[in-house]
Amino acid sequence: LSRDPITDEQGLNIAEQIGGPNIYGFVGNNPLNQEDNLGLAFYAVDGTWMNATKGANPWQIYLETSERPRYYWAGPKNGRTGSDLMQIALGVYFHIQKDFCAAKAAGTDFTINLTGWSRGAMIAALVAKTMNDAGFVCNECSGLNRYKPVRVNWVGLFDAVAMTTDVGFPTAVPPNVTHFDHAIKTDHTGKQMLFPTWHFSGSNEATFLNFDGSTTTHADIGMSVILGNHNNVYPWIKNQAFAAGVGF
């Protein structure tokens, strides 16, 4: 009965403004034949300078998932230093904590799925690690309860790129993450050297070529849908999410 809270970083309903999906829809407007019995939630963080109107892959998969709650964050705006990365990461962490605690207070299950591109992928990985290391503190029934670690069902990343190494990014898959998939580029020459791919030990990491046999760039991995689906990156990430139980 209520609107789906799909917002950009300014709190505007971008999906509604650009003619997106039905903002009152749930499980594909087919509740008799579809359900979200696992109580999964979905969170997407975009790459540097990216927002909903630019249509990068995190936004695309965010629009497609039937999981609720779901939320999308535009990427960092400071391209050179990524100085706003930690601010976004904290916003993501505390937003998920709010949703998690609300579910606990209602006595319902809550399982988290994360995706991101570039620095947004680093934010997603960092938030997953923080939920393992710090967990969440919820105020339930006038009492504080700590949940640690907090389970993360799926993390799916498009070419994670740090470009800064001073915020404690994980170098391995956090132990609270059940499924961790990472699609990476094959071109590491010229300007692409400005976007060094970050590797996570223990992840299901896959490299991709374009269908014409050419090497992939950072943009090929993170913007493949709006660039014409000229490689198999997006279907692979979506299939990995589906195999992990994420609904579409």
Side-chain angles (χ1 to χ4, degrees):
L1 298 179
S2 60
R3 289 161 51 111
D4 184 14
I6 40 182
T7 59
D8 70 350
E9 75 280 10
Q10 297 175 330
L12 302 175
N13 194 321
I14 291 296
E16 182 180 19
Q17 292 176 7
I18 64 176
N22 180 2
I23 59 172
Y24 292 91
F26 177 69
V27 293
N29 270 351
N30 190 7
L32 295 181
N33 297 309
Q34 298 187 46
E35 60 180 316
D36 182 15
N37 62 323
L38 298 180
L40 303 183
F42 196 91
Y43 303 94
V45 191
D46 224 325
T48 304
W49 297 313
M50 294 292 110
N51 56 40
T53 59
K54 295 182 178 179
N57 287 353
W59 172 252
Q60 300 290 342
I61 197 168
Y62 160 82
L63 285 182
E64 286 200 62
T65 180
S66 60
E67 304 301 352
R68 299 295 186 274
R70 64 174 183 175
Y71 205 82
Y72 165 88
W73 286 265
K77 296 182 177 63
N78 192 323
R80 185 175 65 87
T81 66
S83 58
D84 52 342
L85 185 151
M86 182 56 76
Q87 179 182 357
I88 297 172
L90 288 172
V92 175
Y93 172 82
F94 285 116
H95 186 98
I96 298 176
Q97 177 178 254
K98 180 190 70 175
D99 291 344
F100 178 91
C101 292
K104 288 297 182 183
T108 59
D109 292 331
F110 191 83
T111 305
I112 298 158
N113 300 282
L114 291 157
T115 191
W117 172 39
S118 191
R119 281 179 171 146
M122 300 303 298
I123 290 171
L126 179 60
V127 169
K129 179 178 183 296
T130 304
M131 287 189 284
N132 180 78
D133 297 347
F136 289 145
V137 175
C138 299
N139 187 356
E140 304 169 49
C141 301
S142 301
L144 294 177
N145 293 300
R146 176 178 291 277
Y147 299 90
K148 177 185 174 182
V150 172
R151 179 195 170 201
V152 176
N153 177 58
W154 178 74
V155 175
L157 306 181
F158 298 93
D159 203 36
V161 166
M163 298 175 66
T164 180
T165 58
D166 57 355
V167 293
F169 295 130
T171 58
V173 176
N176 61 325
V177 177
T178 305
H179 308 278
F180 194 111
D181 300 299
H182 188 196
I184 66 173
K185 60 182 175 289
T186 53
D187 188 349
H188 298 275
T189 63
K191 291 183 178 180
Q192 296 304 305
M193 295 181 69
L194 297 174
F195 310 102
T197 298
W198 189 276
H199 300 280
F200 303 88
S201 174
S203 69
N204 180 26
E205 187 175 272
T207 58
F208 292 86
L209 293 171
N210 291 318
F211 292 140
D212 62 4
S214 62
T215 56
T216 49
T217 65
H218 188 55
D220 288 329
I221 301 299
M223 304 183 73
S224 61
V225 173
I226 63 172
L227 292 178
N229 288 307
H230 55 297
N231 56 51
N232 201 39
V233 170
Y234 189 81
W236 182 78
I237 282 285
K238 184 178 175 181
N239 286 338
Q240 296 302 115
F242 185 80
V246 179
F248 293 96

